[in-house]
Amino acid sequence: MAWRSQLSRNLKELRILFCQTSPSSASARSFVEQNSKDLKTLNPKFPILIPECRGIEPQIWARYDMGVERGIRLEGLTEPQILKALEDLVKAGFPYIQLS
């Protein structure tokens, strides 16, 4: 999983949004608990934002050069699927704008 250390190389910012209490955000909460420390250790100066949200649909947003952003809805995804979605965002580099 060498891509984990390339967040700062391919992205400008990563935002993970989820509700702290909603059942639909359970996988996203678990993903953050299991992976955020490792991602931050591998990318110490890279901004990984996990804002407090209430009643929001779980999502992950990547910001690339020139303000281009790409978001993926996480509702219904398992932890491995969320990890794969993040990997796809990192490997995309500079994508076209897509809101999934």
Side-chain angles (χ1 to χ4, degrees), residues 21-99:
T21 58
S22 154
S24 65
S25 291
S27 290
R29 282 193 305 271
S30 182
F31 171 80
V32 168
E33 290 170 3
Q34 300 297 318
N35 295 281
S36 61
K37 184 177 179 183
D38 184 42
L39 292 172
K40 197 60 183 170
T41 300
L42 292 170
N43 303 278
K45 295 183 180 182
F46 179 73
I48 299 174
L49 308 175
I50 306 170
E52 289 189 27
C53 302
R54 188 163 191 80
I56 192 167
E57 175 182 314
Q59 307 167 39
I60 191 166
W61 285 89
R63 186 168 54 87
Y64 301 89
D65 282 330
M66 298 175 21
V68 174
E69 293 190 349
R70 184 173 175 204
I72 297 175
R73 291 187 178 108
L74 304 177
E75 188 171 0
L77 298 182
T78 63
E79 282 184 63
Q81 290 171 322
I82 293 171
L83 191 62
K84 177 66 172 134
L86 176 56
E87 179 181 2
D88 292 346
L89 287 172
V90 172
K91 289 182 175 180
F94 185 82
Y96 56 91
I97 297 175
Q98 175 185 341
L99 299 177

